[in-house]
Each structure stands twice: as structure tokens, then as C-alpha cells.
Amino acid sequence: MSDECYDVAIIGAGATGAAVARRLAAYELRVVLLEKCVDVCFGVSKANSGIIHAGFHHPVTSLKARLEIRGNLMFEQLHHELGFPFKRVGILVAAFSEEEMKTVQRLYQQGMANGVPRLEICSSERMRLLEPKLNPDVVGGLYAPTGGIIEPYRYVFALVENAQRNGVTLKTEFEVAEARHDGDAYTILSRRGDRIRAVRVVNAAGLYADEVSRIFGGEEFKIIPRKGEEFLLERNAAGLPRQVIFPVPGRHTKGILVIPTVEGTMMVGPTATEVEDKEDRATTAEHLEMVFAQAVQMVPVISRREIITSFSGSRPVLEGNDFFIDISKKAPHFIQAAGIQSPGLTASPAVAEYIKDLLKQDGLALVEKSAFDPTLPPVPRVREMSTAQLAAMAAQDPRYGHIACRCETVSEAEIVEAIRRGHATLDGIKFYTRAGMGRCQGGFCTYKVLKIIARETGLPMEAITKRGDGSYVLSHRIAPDMLAGEVGHA
Amino acid sequence: MRERQYDAVVIGGGAAGMAAALRITGAGYATAIVEREEGLGGILMQCIHNGFGLHRFKEELTGPEFAERLIEQVNTSKIDVFLKTTVMEITPDKDSRKLVVCGPDTGVMQLNARAVVLAMGCRERNRGNLGIPGTRPSGIFTAGLAQRLINIEGYVPGRRVVIIGSGDIGLIMARRLHWVGAEVLGVVEILPYPSGITRNIVQCLQDFHIPLYLSHVVTRIDGRDRVEGVEVAPLENGAPDKSRAFPIACDTVLLSVGLIPENELSQHAGVRIGHDTGGPVVDARLMTNLEGVFACGNVLHVHDLVDWVAEEAERCGDGVVAYLEAGAVPMKQGAVTPGANVKYVVPHHYLPGQDAHFSLRALIVKDRAELLVRRAGSVIKRRVLRHVKPAEMIYFKISGEELPPSPAREAPASLEIAVE
Ligand SMILES: Cc1cc2nc3c(=O)[nH]c(=O)nc-3n(C[C@H](O)[C@H](O)[C@H](O)COP(=O)(O)OP(=O)(O)OC[C@H]3O[C@@H](n4cnc5c(N)ncnc54)[C@H](O)[C@@H]3O)c2cc1C
Ligand SMILES: Cc1cc2nc3c(=O)[nH]c(=O)nc-3n(C[C@H](O)[C@H](O)[C@H](O)COP(=O)(O)OP(=O)(O)OC[C@H]3O[C@@H](n4cnc5c(N)ncnc54)[C@H](O)[C@@H]3O)c2cc1C
């Protein structure tokens, strides 16, 4: 039995846990990041709208609004250091009646009070100038140029990679199942029976933060999954907007949005329905109808024919609708980061800062690491290369010349790199490289990716999964006596 | 960057690309085929069932056998073949077209060509395109991908399979899965009639007692990690009747729900795409709106039979040769438009005084239908068709005599083609 004892164990490798890990990597600490899935960012953080909110939707009295505004400001630097896709495209709230304009006025006041920079109330003309695809019936709205968009998984992957490069240990397929505190530290056991020790623990388990809190004897609370369905439309879709377009919000949610993605596709969604099952990922025909009916009201040229896929994720919501981030009053040296619903992605860098301060308050000694390197070397991607760059890369490494995914222009070299960095499932590779994420949804490249994974990892083809656990792709090899062509059978 | 010059470069080495290239090289022009896969043949190579070549070779061949006949001809011709090479970009220019190609063996290269033939084939419609509700587990495949995995890679995707869509590829895969030991629990078709040909219904489903659910839809896919089942409901007045829905437990779902011409490369270059075909709008010689850029095969419109693909591609090759010899068509072309009950007609133009071959898809199912060609309002040709249905392409020819030139300086009258 190993006695390795970490200073901090972070449970959950979503945006929250990853940001905390990367923040703590700057100090002389032994940190471990524990994740139950086969890869990082397979929880809520992979299935969201990818918006870096501007910070006018919630009053500053809530913790989530304060962290949202702070988080928003941190993305330029993170983007420069880590290289994940991020663009400040701006956010528009489109009003279609004078009544709605009143809400816009209120949002403007709230945003100003929150300190959101450069907010602007717009006339109908100004709105249509900013976004020519808007329904001409728009009567006006709000413009927040500081809103932005990111690729959430690339963001989380980059945080984790950078944390690892600076000494943080990542353990995937480590589902925290049991924990005991013996006066000095926690002994934490995984479902599979692995064991580690840690003095302090951060609960960043997303939808399962309530269960993890219970395991550690922390506060009792219930996470309510609030499901959101989103629909992804192909590159160059007719409705692709310049900014993120919001309707005037309802009481509980921000409504159905029209969202450009950093990679040139677009999304419409999300819905918001409370569900029982934390793993409920189903999309429904009714919501598809509803989402498109609302989206075309704002951008009439949006077409359902351009849908390439749909997905859903559930926001981990706590009663009271705010984040709960604090030192536990019940479990020793246990930091809660629960109820991280929207805008959890936006807030995550500020959440990490906040948790770092809580850990310090809890007695953790923070000594800066002189060798901390905040940057990541860029990953070459054929999609982003000029012809001359591609020629040079392909001459050096022929695998850059092999385009494995035709829709998103992903080379074999990029897939090999993803595998080398620990993303060896179809979904992991898809999120890391975009192979299989385009219009054919893997129809052409799946067999190529499977073969590359098998070659690079030595796994038999049948052992390769879509996203770990029971998500195998191929059932079995054809028995030799059935291998013959069809003619023999006829 | 290395550069090479050709009279014609063909993009795609499937049946269409090879047939077109053979025609062009046959006229003595320097021709190249660029193919992204490791070998020529395209989609045919995974179609190991019988049923190819009845029209062209008057015998029943498998897909690879059909392809092999063309590949042999290509290999003994002067055509330069670039394998494992993808065309990344086409830049149309006034008198030449520049193609950037890329591959592990070739590296990055620029090919300059006077003429380009688009022969990139098609891709399969997928779940997202249909918006089938439910979860997103593993075990959902397009039929063509499953065909590839079984016939070329040698793996069975699953043990208990439901197939959505009764197109020929889905039917062929039902039988193939049965033969490799999987249980096919049903084929679910939204239409009241099967999309595939009768022979395949009999030989691929009935012979193996595989149920065909007509006028039914899959209303949900279930399963967390791997597919665990689907919910199927009959259609009642065009909407699923949830009260009569029933589950089928399965671990795999195959989608055979149509093909889409693969035209992103073309569109990027500025080729105009017709919304009815999903492929380029072409003139009488199968040239697109971009001078010197031609199209044939499944990239132009989705075909059911490779024999017609090859024939169309040869006509395209002839068009390229005529272009290389004398430039674009000198005279005015007449427009061809779909009339009643017709989804589309290809090509979209004709040349007065010259034989014209048309492919069209009907929108209706009907026995003893009549094909009517109208020119300036009056019927110039009729033909009785024994049976028409959307899944089966209709081919016909109009001779040059039937299409006399219009009076001097007047634009040729347009043709309207209807099925009534
Ligand atoms: C539809 C939708 C749209 C959204 N849009 C936006 C947006 O546009 N902008 C924005 O700012 N926010 C948005 N959000 C919110 C944002 O996605 C979340 O707030 C954020 O991703 C939460 O991150 P997290 O790390 O806390 O949770 P998660 O990403 O869920 O991470 C928790 C991790 O913990 C792991 N875990 C759980 N239990 C255990 C265990 N016992 N042992 C080990 N590991 C465990 C999980 O596997 C998971 O990986 C949206 C959310 C949804 C659902
Ligand atoms: C699954 C299936 C089953 C069929 N069954 C039958 C049958 O039973 N009987 C019958 O007669 N017909 C059948 N057909 C129809 C017929 O075989 C096809 O229509 C025909 O083979 C298509 O030929 P093609 O050359 O247009 O396309 P493809 O064969 O698809 O060839 C296109 C080629 O272009 C290449 N390519 C694409 N983009 C690029 C690029 N950018 N750079 C380089 N290369 C590129 C592709 O790799 C591919 O090899 C079937 C078709 C399918 C899809």
C-alpha cells in the first residue's frame, strides 16, 4: 500500500476542478485531480453553450454574478497562455416589444451596477447593423461587446494539461466511493478499490456534488439536474450569426439562444427542464420543435435542414439558485464547490481563485513555484495552417499529410497526438481534434480513427470505446468461416 | 511547392471518376485522378454483394469485380493516379484551375488543370439530420459505415440490430448482418412502401423472416453507454401514434436514410448547387457554372445503379474533351425544368439539335405512369412507364431531331419534364 499523501485532492475534472488544479499548480503543493470518467471534461462541462457571459443577467448580490464578471475578464490571458479557441464576439439581447425593452433597460442598469464594461442600449437600426440576420421586427436591445465564446472541452483539456505539466497528478477512472478522515488526512477509495490519501479535498463533482459531500460527511444538499437540449448546425449554416443572440430572458432561464461557435458551426438552445435522473441525456422531438420555433423568431433564416447533431447536458442546480462555494462546516478541510450551474464555465477561473483563497484560509501554505510555466506549446492543426505551413509540416511528418477526417480537416498526426496526451476514446479524440464532429458525424472517419487508436495503444478493436465503460464500438471479429464474400452464401 | 500541369484532373477515383478519366485520356489528353483512399474503386469496394454491371457488362458482378474492370483499364492507361491524396482546395482561374492536394506520400502539391471533373461521390445522411430523439450511446452507425466495418475491416458492430430506413443499402446490410451471425430485429420505414427494390425485399428480408415495419418511425433511441433499445411507433395521419408504440431491445441501430452529394469542396470554389439535387447545376455537357469544372456520378446527384454512374461519367468525359478542344459551348442552351410530380431532372440544360440524356426522380408511386416532355408548352415526347417510384431513377434519351434549334437569335425554348 502506497503512502502517497497529497496536500489537495480535487474531485471532478470539469471546468471547475480543472481550473482549481491549474491554479494550485502554481504553488509548491502535491495535488491530485480525481475523475470518474475515462477522460476529463466528460461531465456537464462538455455539453453546454460555450458562452463567456458578460455579466448582466444576475444581480451582483449573488456569488455566481460576482464570479462571472471576474471570470469573464480572465479569459484573454488564459487564451494567450493556453491557446484554446476563444473569441469576444459580443452578446446581443433582442427585444421584440416595448414591454421587452423595459426588461432590457433593467438588464442594462443591472449590468452597469455589476461593472460590465461598454454596455449599450440599441435602437432597432443599431441592432440590425450589428446583426444583419436579426428579424427586422426587432425593436431594440442590449449590446454587450465583452461577451465571448469558447470551445469548452478544449478549454478544460488545456487547463488539465497545463496543470499536469506543472506537477499535478491526474487519475481518471477514479470514482470516489468512500472516504475516512483519521485526524491527519483523508483516505479516499475509488469504486475499483484504488486508494489515495489527501489532507484537503475540493468537491467539484458537478451533478454529483451532493453525493460526494455525503461521502465526506459534509453538508446535506440536493443537486437538481436542470436539463438543457442544444442543436448543432453545420459550418456555414445560413443562420450563423456574428454575435451570440439572446431573447429577453424569462424568470428562470436565459431563453433559447442563437450561438455562433468558435469553430464556425452554430448552435441553438438550450432548453431548461428539471429532471430526476442525473444521467438523463435524451433529446426530445417536442423540444426540437420548440427550440427552432423560438430561434427563427430571432433569426428567420435558421434552417432545421442544417442540423448535424443534438446533445443535452444538465445544470447542477441547488435550491436558491446560487453557487455554494465554501469551507465545509461539517467535514474537516473540505471545500465545497457545488451548484455550479450556468455561468459556471465563465466563472471557472474566478472560482479557482476563490477556492485557492479558501484553502489558504483553511491553513494551506501557498508557496509559489518558481518553475511554474503558465503556457502550453501550441498543437499544430491542419485546419489552421496555410498551404505553405501544411507543405512544411507534411514534409517533416507525412502523417500531417494524411487527412483522416474530411469534414473538419483533421490529420492523422493530430489524432496520434490526442492519443499520446491521454484521449484514447472516440469522444475524447473528437473533442480534442474535432475528428467526427462535422457534417458526416463520423460516417467516413470512424473506421480510420478506430484503426489509429488500435495501432497507437495496442488495444484490440473491440476494446475501443466511444467514451469508456460499456460504450464499446465493435462487438466482435467476424468468425473466419464467415469472412468469405457474400457470393458463397447466396 | 511542387506544381504539375494536366489537361484534366479528376477528383475522386470511384466508378464516376475512373470512367470519366478513361474517356478523357482516350482522346489523348494528359489526365490525372486524385483519390484520398489507398486504392481506386470508391464505394464499390465495400459492396461485396452481387448486382452490379447488368446493364454495362450484361452479367452480375460484385462491387469490387465491377470496379476491378475499370481499375485494370486505368492501370494500363496513361492516367496519373495519386492515391492517399486529398484535394483540399480548388481555385478557379480564367484559363486554368488550380488544385491544392495533400497526402502522406505526395506531400502538398499544386496541380494546374485546364479542366476539372468533380467525382467525389456522396455521404450518408445521419441521425442528426433526421433529429431522432433519445440518448447518444455508442452503437449507432450509418449503413455504409457498418458495411465498411464488416466487409473491409472484418468486425461485426453488434449482435441485435434494428435498421432505420428500407433503402437498398439498408436491405443489403440486413442480410449481411444475418450472415455474419447478428440478429436483425426489424427494418423500420416511415413511408407506406419500401424504398428499396422488390428483389432486395424478397432476398434480403423475406428469405430470412426479418420484419419490415412500413409507415413506422423510431421515436426514441435508449441506452446510456451502448444502445439498449429503440421505441417504434406506427404513423397515424402523418404523426407517430404514441399509444401504439412498442419497444425493441437491441444493441445496435443502423441508419439507411439517404445520401447527400458531397459538395463542400465544390461550394468553396464557387460551384452553384441546386437545392433539388444537392449537387451542382450543370449544362448540357455536365459543366458547372464555373468554366472548365465538370461533375458526374453521385456528387452530381445520387444514383441507384453504378451502370448509370459510369455512363453519365463517360458523357461527362466527352464534355470535357469537347471543352478541351473548342472551349465552352458556343451556342445558347435551353433550360430543362422539372414538371408535375418530378423532383429533379439532370442535366439542367440541353443543346438544340443534339442527343440529350436525362436522369430524373419522380415524387410519386404509380403504375403505368406517363412521362411527358413539353417544349414551349406542347408535348414533344411521351413514354409509358410500367412503374415509377421515388427510389428508382428514370433514365431517358431525346434525339437531336426531336430538339430542333429555335429561330435564329432566339433563346432555345425550355423543356419541362413531367410524370403524370
Ligand atoms: C445546457 C447547458 C448550457 C450551459 N451554457 C453555459 C454557458 O454558455 N456559459 C457558462 O458559463 N456556463 C454554461 N453552463 C454551465 C456550465 O456548463 C457548468 O456550470 C460547468 O460546466 C460546471 O462545471 P463543473 O466542473 O462544476 O461540473 P462538471 O463538468 O460536471 O464536472 C464534474 C466532474 O466530476 C466528476 N465526478 C462526479 N462524481 C465523481 C466521483 N464520485 N468521483 C470522481 N469524479 C466524479 C464528473 O464525472 C465530472 O467530470 C451550461 C450548462 C448547461 C447544462
Ligand atoms: C453502400 C452502397 C451500396 C450500393 N449498392 C449498389 C448495387 O447493389 N448496385 C448498383 O448498381 N449500385 C449500387 N450502389 C450505387 C453505386 O455503386 C454508386 O452510386 C457508385 O459506385 C458511385 O460512384 P461515384 O464514383 O460517384 O462515387 P464513389 O464511389 O463514392 O467515389 C468517390 C470517390 O471520391 C473520393 N474523394 C472524395 N472527395 C475527395 C477529395 N477531396 N480528394 C480526393 N478524393 C476524394 C472518395 O474517396 C471516393 O473514392 C451502391 C452505393 C452505395 C453507397
Side-chain angles (χ1 to χ4, degrees):
Chain A
M1 191 91 314
S2 93
D3 285 318
E4 64 180 331
C5 185
Y6 294 95
D7 297 308
V8 183
I10 302 158
I11 301 172
T16 307
V20 172
R22 198 261 181 171
R23 189 66 193 89
L24 296 182
Y27 300 99
E28 297 288 354
L29 294 170
R30 282 162 301 168
V31 178
V32 66
L33 180 58
L34 305 175
E35 170 54 54
K36 71 171 178 185
C37 294
V38 67
D39 204 339
V40 307
C41 202
F42 273 22
V44 185
S45 299
K46 79 159 189 295
N48 53 59
S49 307
I51 300 166
I52 300 307
H53 291 289
F56 55 81
H57 270 110
H58 313 283
V60 79
T61 46
S62 63
L63 178 61
K64 66 180 179 185
R66 294 199 297 278
L67 295 172
E68 172 182 34
I69 291 155
R70 243 181 281 163
N72 175 301
L73 298 174
M74 296 165 83
F75 270 88
E76 250 87 24
Q77 190 182 346
L78 285 166
H79 167 65
H80 285 301
E81 289 172 348
L82 301 173
F84 59 86
F86 163 67
K87 271 192 203 141
R88 268 195 209 284
V89 291
I91 288 173
L92 292 176
V93 180
F96 288 91
S97 67
E98 289 309 323
E99 199 52 40
E100 289 194 340
M101 272 312 277
K102 286 186 196 148
T103 312
V104 165
Q105 285 289 351
R106 196 179 54 72
L107 290 175
Y108 176 78
Q109 300 300 343
Q110 185 164 284
M112 294 303 278
N114 291 1
V116 179
R118 290 160 47 216
L119 275 181
E120 183 187 328
I121 297 257
C122 302
S123 64
S124 171
E125 291 72 41
R126 173 79 174 133
M127 289 292 282
R128 282 178 289 148
L129 187 75
L130 287 165
E131 185 48 73
K133 288 178 184 166
L134 265 180
N135 183 341
D137 294 342
V138 66
V139 300
L142 184 68
Y143 176 41
T146 57
I149 46 177
I150 62 170
E151 260 206 346
Y153 20 85
R154 289 271 303 276
Y155 166 61
V156 175
F157 289 161
L159 288 170
V160 174
E161 241 176 70
N162 183 253
Q164 286 177 283
R165 289 168 72 92
N166 286 292
V168 171
T169 304
L170 169 68
K171 289 187 190 287
T172 51
E173 295 183 275
F174 192 112
E175 178 179 355
V176 173
E178 268 178 64
R180 305 188 280 279
H181 198 262
D182 61 12
D184 294 329
Y186 285 102
T187 298
I188 304 173
L189 278 129
S190 81
R191 171 106 29 230
R192 292 198 312 202
D194 302 318
R195 162 200 308 256
I196 61 135
R197 279 171 63 74
V199 180
R200 287 181 173 77
V201 170
V202 177
N203 174 12
L207 286 166
Y208 295 89
D210 48 1
E211 292 176 22
V212 168
S213 181
R214 206 165 305 131
I215 290 171
F216 283 82
E219 283 74 2
E220 289 283 330
F221 49 81
K222 184 169 165 20
I223 299 280
I224 305 147
R226 190 186 289 156
K227 190 165 85 171
E229 298 173 33
E230 312 239 22
F231 299 88
L232 187 77
L233 277 62
E234 67 184 59
R235 260 172 208 285
N236 314 317
L240 176 68
R242 292 182 191 159
Q243 292 92 355
V244 181
I245 308 175
F246 285 65
V248 168
R251 221 151 36 87
H252 272 309
T253 72
K254 302 185 177 99
I256 299 303
L257 325 179
V258 180
I259 310 158
T261 73
V262 218
E263 287 283 357
T265 54
M266 66 173 284
M267 289 193 290
V268 292
T271 55
T273 37
E274 285 183 4
V275 293
E276 285 296 313
D277 179 2
K278 289 177 175 174
E279 294 300 320
D280 181 346
R281 298 274 179 280
T283 47
T284 57
E286 295 73 29
H287 282 139
L288 185 145
E289 295 298 331
M290 189 271 273
V291 164
F292 276 83
Q294 296 193 19
V296 296
Q297 274 175 13
M298 294 198 295
V299 180
V301 293
I302 289 176
S303 161
R304 282 171 54 164
R305 287 177 52 155
E306 294 171 330
I307 303 182
I308 54 178
T309 188
S310 57
F311 62 85
S312 87
S314 291
R315 308 157 183 93
V317 178
L318 278 177
E319 200 181 322
N321 254 311
D322 204 355
F323 294 172
F324 168 43
I325 308 177
D326 213 341
I327 302 170
S328 172
K329 308 231 163 16
K330 291 184 71 186
H333 307 298
F334 187 70
I335 314 291
Q336 303 274 19
I340 311 296
Q341 54 160 303
S342 188
L345 200 61
T346 312
S348 55
V351 168
E353 204 60 39
Y354 194 81
I355 288 177
K356 178 213 71 180
D357 291 340
L358 290 176
L359 284 164
K360 190 173 170 195
Q361 209 179 308
D362 186 58
L364 182 68
L366 296 177
V367 179
E368 278 186 29
K369 202 187 271 174
S370 57
F372 176 69
D373 177 0
T375 65
L376 269 184
V379 180
R381 292 171 196 272
V382 169
R383 189 170 62 254
E384 292 160 5
M385 293 177 195
S386 68
T387 306
Q389 283 169 326
L390 174 58
M393 288 301 285
Q396 249 178 46
D397 180 348
R399 292 173 307 178
Y400 280 102
H402 176 202
I403 309 302
C405 164
R406 57 166 79 175
C407 304
E408 294 292 309
T409 321
V410 181
S411 65
E412 178 184 348
E414 291 159 64
I415 294 168
V416 170
E417 188 59 28
I419 297 167
R420 222 178 49 78
R421 295 184 191 217
H423 312 289
T425 60
L426 286 185
D427 276 1
I429 288 170
K430 179 170 92 178
F431 293 132
Y432 197 86
T433 67
R434 293 188 71 80
M437 213 178 248
R439 56 185 177 272
C440 90
Q441 289 288 299
F444 285 119
C445 67
T446 298
Y447 76 89
K448 294 190 182 190
V449 176
L450 288 171
K451 280 160 77 169
I452 298 171
I453 299 176
R455 186 191 70 206
E456 295 295 315
T457 61
L459 283 174
M461 295 274 270
E462 309 90 290
I464 299 169
T465 64
K466 178 169 161 64
R467 50 166 174 263
D469 295 328
S471 66
Y472 67 91
V473 182
L474 300 172
S475 158
H476 56 280
R477 263 196 111 98
I478 296 185
D481 60 318
M482 289 177 174
L483 248 181
E486 294 211 330
V487 192
H489 288 276
Chain B
M1 198 176 9
R2 281 175 303 144
E3 285 191 33
R4 295 240 205 143
Q5 316 290 329
Y6 288 98
D7 293 315
V9 172
V10 178
I11 309 175
M18 289 192 286
L22 285 165
R23 217 44 178 227
I24 304 167
T25 195
Y29 289 102
T31 309
I33 296 178
V34 184
E35 167 56 55
R36 70 167 89 226
E37 297 296 328
E38 288 176 15
L40 293 170
I43 200 76
L44 287 172
M45 303 314 273
Q46 65 184 51
C47 302
I48 63 172
H49 56 280
N50 258 330
F52 298 80
L54 271 175
H55 297 271
R56 191 183 176 85
F57 298 115
K58 308 281 175 257
E59 51 180 314
E60 263 204 85
L61 305 173
T62 65
E65 283 168 353
F66 186 103
E68 209 46 58
R69 299 206 172 179
L70 289 170
I71 294 172
E72 263 166 39
Q73 282 176 269
V74 169
N75 287 343
T76 52
S77 75
K78 285 194 181 139
I79 299 170
D80 280 353
V81 179
F82 297 96
L83 294 177
K84 292 199 268 177
T85 307
T86 301
V87 176
M88 307 285 285
E89 200 180 286
I90 311 169
T91 317
D93 228 351
K94 190 145 172 27
D95 35 36
S96 108
R97 267 80 4 229
K98 300 182 180 6
L99 284 75
V100 175
V101 306
C102 167
D105 304 340
T106 40
V108 178
M109 216 165 40
Q110 181 173 311
L111 305 182
N112 302 322
R114 288 169 62 206
V116 167
V117 177
L118 307 172
M120 288 95 74
C122 55
R123 67 170 184 273
E124 299 179 273
R125 209 178 278 281
N126 58 49
R127 176 186 182 184
N129 303 137
L130 298 184
I132 304 171
T135 55
R136 265 153 300 283
S138 74
I140 306 168
F141 302 85
T142 53
L145 172 59
Q147 188 178 43
R148 161 106 208 179
L149 290 167
I150 296 176
N151 293 346
I152 299 190
E153 312 302 337
Y155 286 87
V156 187
R159 292 180 191 277
R160 293 171 59 79
V161 187
V162 168
I163 298 177
I164 303 179
S166 64
D168 287 312
I169 310 172
L171 300 178
I172 298 277
M173 284 313 294
R175 177 176 64 184
R176 185 71 184 124
L177 279 157
H178 175 89
W179 274 338
V180 296
E183 200 178 340
V184 181
L185 301 157
V187 174
V188 182
E189 170 59 60
I190 189 168
L191 296 173
Y193 49 86
S195 296
I197 57 174
T198 311
R199 186 180 77 156
N200 281 338
I201 296 291
V202 176
Q203 294 182 357
C204 299
L205 299 187
Q206 290 170 2
D207 287 359
F208 305 101
H209 311 290
I210 296 170
L212 172 62
Y213 299 97
L214 295 174
S215 299
H216 278 67
V217 288
V218 167
T219 44
R220 208 177 60 228
I221 297 178
D222 294 318
R224 184 166 297 185
D225 295 334
R226 176 80 187 192
V227 172
E228 288 164 21
V230 295
E231 183 191 71
V232 179
L235 284 185
E236 196 63 60
N237 303 322
D241 179 357
K242 285 272 165 80
S243 68
R244 287 191 290 149
F246 56 94
I248 304 180
C250 59
D251 60 24
T252 302
V253 174
L254 244 57
L255 292 158
S256 174
V257 289
L259 304 167
I260 308 172
E262 175 81 347
N263 272 296
E264 280 60 28
L265 184 66
S266 340
Q267 264 171 303
H268 217 77
V271 170
R272 194 154 74 84
I273 303 298
H275 58 88
D276 48 2
T277 54
V281 175
V282 288
D283 75 2
R285 289 179 181 169
L286 307 185
M287 188 168 93
T288 67
N289 62 310
L290 296 184
E291 172 155 351
V293 179
F294 295 74
C296 58
N298 281 349
V299 80
L300 179 57
H301 61 125
V302 175
H303 297 65
D304 345 310
L305 290 180
V306 67
D307 305 69
W308 305 135
V309 167
E311 201 184 285
E312 177 181 274
E314 285 171 350
R315 264 181 282 119
C316 179
D318 293 341
V320 171
V321 169
Y323 173 78
L324 290 172
E325 263 153 31
V329 180
M331 65 172 117
K332 281 235 158 65
Q333 306 191 18
V336 181
T337 55
N341 304 319
V342 173
K343 181 160 185 243
Y344 69 74
V345 187
V346 172
H348 307 74
H349 296 91
Y350 74 96
L351 278 170
Q354 296 192 12
D355 292 358
H357 299 258
F358 294 105
S359 311
L360 68 86
R361 275 197 196 269
L363 286 166
I364 48 164
V365 182
K366 196 175 175 191
D367 288 325
R368 282 195 62 81
E370 201 172 16
L371 178 89
L372 294 167
V373 182
R374 292 190 178 86
R375 189 174 194 239
S378 49
V379 175
I380 61 161
K381 192 180 174 82
R382 8 173 123 242
R383 209 174 97 194
V384 174
L385 304 168
R386 217 176 53 219
H387 180 73
V388 297
K389 60 176 180 174
E392 274 170 43
M393 183 110 71
I394 301 166
Y395 299 87
F396 71 99
K397 183 180 146 185
I398 307 182
S399 72
E401 293 90 72
E402 291 170 286
L403 298 168
S406 300
R409 278 201 299 276
E410 250 177 59
S414 62
L415 291 187
E416 193 202 68
I417 302 174
V419 172
E420 287 168 13

